Amino acid sequence: MAKILVVEDNNEINQMIADLLSENDHVIQAYSGTEGLLLFQQESPDLVLLDIMLPGKNGDQVLSEIRKVSQVPVIMLTALGEKKLVSDYLLNGANDYITKPFDDDELFARVMVQLRHFRQEFKADGLQSVKNIIVDMSNFEIFREGKRVRLGKKEFEILTYLLEHPNQIFTKEQLYEVIWKESYLPGDNSLNAQLSNLRKKIGALDSEEEYIETIWGLGVRLAGDKK
């Protein structure tokens, strides 16, 4: 399920888009450019549908702010008389546009195409994400909204192994033996120390969500779906 931010000041159009997309995706609704940027920062959406003429910050300002921190797909929502503005937006980082009034099937198709392309490019670049955090598999880093944190080798190996096995619970012994490639000795605190450091580094980027969940009496697992 993708997270889609709709920034459109017309209540009827905004709700129509939400109704169209919410069956398959989680839709976040904003009615001004200022609100749209605030929700973008809070929610880290997978795609943005962005109107050009907005109260508060206009579409150009919103797009510019988004592109400073993210390459998430942005589809512009335009009126018939805004063709010249469309070319400027495409040159400045928008991925696509659709003209109002639009056909529901066309809008849905354009959203799906952009999400598919973005996910393919994302994986090709060695990136994975879980909740609000992106994992850079090539550089041993995690990042969110432009802020990056470097992981230690064992921290990175633990996180990537959990990413490869979403929802699977691992005992302390199992995880230790996979990462250290040797038998676990009772009382060894190495894994606990690495998990603690990893949680702190993730928390520096997102303190609101739990990423590595302890299941008491069983073990640990990745909390939440990876993308």
Side-chain angles (χ1 to χ4, degrees):
M1 177 177 286
K3 192 184 292 187
I4 298 172
L5 173 61
V6 180
V7 190
E8 165 62 66
D9 63 321
N10 183 296
N11 291 351
E12 184 176 341
I13 295 175
N14 196 315
Q15 191 58 50
M16 180 177 64
I17 295 172
D19 292 342
L20 174 66
L21 299 177
S22 59
E23 183 175 345
N24 297 304
D25 300 296
H26 175 56
V27 179
I28 306 145
Q29 295 171 265
Y31 298 90
S32 72
T34 306
E35 183 187 16
L37 277 176
L38 179 63
L39 288 173
F40 181 85
Q41 294 164 358
Q42 293 175 346
E43 300 287 344
S44 299
D46 301 298
L47 181 141
V48 180
L49 288 164
L50 177 61
D51 189 25
I52 287 182
M53 305 303 292
L54 291 165
K57 293 182 181 293
N58 62 32
D60 184 53
Q61 292 170 308
V62 173
L63 178 62
S64 176
E65 291 298 315
I66 288 174
R67 283 294 172 255
K68 288 178 182 178
V69 297
S70 174
Q71 291 304 308
V72 67
V74 178
I75 300 176
M76 306 306 301
L77 304 173
T78 74
L80 285 171
E82 295 169 340
K83 287 288 187 181
K84 175 62 173 69
L85 288 175
V86 166
S87 61
D88 293 338
Y89 277 82
L90 292 174
L91 290 171
N92 289 326
N95 299 83
D96 198 1
Y97 74 95
I98 188 165
T99 303
K100 298 182 281 188
F102 45 76
D103 178 78
D104 287 357
D105 291 339
E106 181 183 1
L107 176 65
F108 184 82
R110 288 179 182 271
V111 167
M112 294 302 107
V113 166
Q114 289 300 326
L115 285 172
R116 183 169 66 247
H117 285 172
F118 184 62
R119 285 165 177 163
Q120 289 170 347
E121 291 169 4
F122 202 70
K123 291 179 180 177
D125 287 341
L127 304 176
Q128 291 192 40
S129 69
V130 56
K131 295 188 178 180
N132 301 319
I133 298 295
I134 298 171
V135 183
D136 187 336
M137 310 295 283
S138 302
N139 295 307
F140 284 30
E141 291 180 334
I142 53 176
F143 64 94
R144 181 188 183 194
E145 297 174 359
K147 182 179 180 181
R148 288 179 173 265
V149 174
R150 178 64 60 85
L151 298 181
K153 186 173 185 294
K154 293 300 184 188
E155 296 162 0
F156 180 78
E157 289 177 355
I158 291 169
L159 180 58
T160 53
Y161 190 74
L162 293 176
L163 277 167
E164 290 168 1
H165 302 84
N167 301 318
Q168 186 172 340
I169 301 171
F170 294 95
T171 66
K172 182 186 299 184
E173 292 82 0
Q174 288 172 329
L175 199 52
Y176 180 93
E177 291 176 1
V178 165
I179 302 302
W180 273 265
K181 296 179 173 58
E182 61 186 36
S183 297
Y184 173 77
L185 297 176
D188 190 321
N189 200 43
S190 301
L191 177 61
N192 287 340
Q194 294 293 335
L195 284 170
S196 177
N197 290 338
L198 179 56
R199 284 184 169 116
K200 287 177 183 176
K201 289 182 178 181
I202 293 174
L205 297 179
D206 185 4
S207 61
E208 302 297 321
E209 292 277 0
E210 182 179 26
Y211 285 80
I212 299 175
E213 181 182 11
T214 296
I215 310 297
W216 296 111
L218 296 176
V220 298
R221 68 179 177 186
L222 188 73
D225 297 329
K226 74 171 185 175
K227 300 174 186 177

